[in-house]
Amino acid sequence: MTTLPDPAVCEVACTHPEAVATARAALPDAVTVDAATTLLKVVADPTRFRILSALHTGELCVCDLAVVVGISESATSHQLRLLREHRVVASRRVGRTVYYSLLDAHVTTLIGNATEHVRE
């Protein structure tokens, strides 16, 4: 029986010093890597991703988000608190109602790109 080579592994062991140096120089520092991976973990939760996808359409209050996502207002508030702590959403209060939106263009782009990527 013939074993085919693994397509993910080079058949010849070699390195390209200039490419390695360029890639190493582009690596973010450890603090940035930790913060970015934490952000991605927060966004990766299915319920939170649904909330963020709903907010991608525009600002919504907690009650509306709960209906859209299909969870209780309490559970929605809990998820939004976590998203707020990780600087993913912003909130504003109007009387007794709290409205949420995606924090900035970076978050909007992240959610839009993730959704578009998997749909291709």
Side-chain angles (χ1 to χ4, degrees), residues 28-82:
D29 61 76
V31 172
T32 302
V33 168
D34 187 49
T37 55
T38 298
L39 169 67
L40 292 173
K41 288 174 188 174
V42 167
V43 172
D45 175 82
T47 299
R48 290 191 290 269
F49 194 84
R50 281 190 209 90
I51 290 170
L52 296 171
S53 295
L55 292 174
H56 193 258
T57 68
E59 183 179 70
L60 292 166
C61 72
V62 175
C63 300
D64 293 340
L65 277 169
V67 171
V68 170
V69 177
I71 59 176
S72 70
E73 289 179 27
S74 175
T76 302
S77 292
H78 173 75
Q79 296 299 332
L80 287 165
R81 188 174 20 252
L82 182 64

Side-chain angles (χ1 to χ4, degrees), residues 1-116:
M1 178 171 169
T2 305
T3 304
L4 297 175
D6 183 348
V9 178
C10 295
E11 291 182 29
V12 177
C14 64
T15 59
H16 303 89
E18 289 180 18
V20 169
T22 300
R24 278 190 176 153
L27 287 178
D29 61 76
V31 172
T32 302
V33 168
D34 187 49
T37 55
T38 298
L39 169 67
L40 292 173
K41 288 174 188 174
V42 167
V43 172
D45 175 82
T47 299
R48 290 191 290 269
F49 194 84
R50 281 190 209 90
I51 290 170
L52 296 171
S53 295
L55 292 174
H56 193 258
T57 68
E59 183 179 70
L60 292 166
C61 72
V62 175
C63 300
D64 293 340
L65 277 169
V67 171
V68 170
V69 177
I71 59 176
S72 70
E73 289 179 27
S74 175
T76 302
S77 292
H78 173 75
Q79 296 299 332
L80 287 165
R81 188 174 20 252
L82 182 64
L83 290 167
R84 205 172 48 246
E85 289 171 3
H86 288 281
R87 298 181 36 228
V88 179
V89 298
S91 63
R92 70 179 182 91
R93 181 177 290 278
V94 177
R96 295 176 56 184
T97 305
V98 179
Y99 292 92
Y100 286 86
S101 61
L102 298 180
L103 182 71
D104 58 24
H106 296 107
V107 177
T108 302
T109 300
L110 176 66
I111 299 308
N113 284 345
T115 303
E116 184 179 322

